[in-house]
Amino acid sequence: MKAKTKAVLISALLFPGLGHFVLKRAMRGCLFIVPTLLAIGVLLRTTLTLADQLVAEIQSGALPLDVPVIMARISASGGDDASTNLASLVLVACWLGAILDAWWLARNQ
């Protein structure tokens, strides 16, 4: 398998920026890896905070153990605020950018 194909597949299927390591461009790959990890951290923190709140409400009896009620509570939680929207945008942009950049770098080597 060619390095170009390997780099694009690794960036597309495993993690954005990892394909750059195949192309011996580690620093450039880190430009995709670091923001992606930060975005995942923000999304994970938001998700775990909401899950912790839901578990506490269910255990206290304030929220019944009923799927439609829990789904309504999740929708009303405001989890789709500016920080999570920005983190999602950064995640998608880094992933697509890493794929395109790995392809472009491999093509021009």
Side-chain angles (χ1 to χ4, degrees), residues 64-87:
L65 192 56
D66 185 26
V67 174
V69 175
I70 294 172
M71 292 300 295
R73 170 66 175 83
I74 292 171
S75 296
S77 70
D80 58 344
D81 61 353
S83 66
T84 56
N85 289 340
L86 180 63

Side-chain angles (χ1 to χ4, degrees), residues 7-70:
V8 171
L9 285 175
I10 289 171
S11 283
L13 300 175
L14 292 181
F15 202 80
L18 285 182
H20 290 76
F21 286 85
V22 172
L23 299 172
K24 312 258 188 285
R25 301 293 296 261
M27 291 303 291
R28 196 160 178 170
C30 287
L31 293 175
F32 293 103
I33 292 172
V34 170
T36 302
L37 287 174
L38 291 173
I40 289 172
V42 168
L43 293 171
L44 192 58
R45 184 192 59 187
T46 303
T47 303
L48 291 176
T49 301
L50 177 59
D52 190 39
Q53 290 172 357
L54 291 173
V55 167
E57 288 179 23
I58 290 170
Q59 287 178 341
S60 71
L63 186 65
L65 192 56
D66 185 26
V67 174
V69 175
I70 294 172

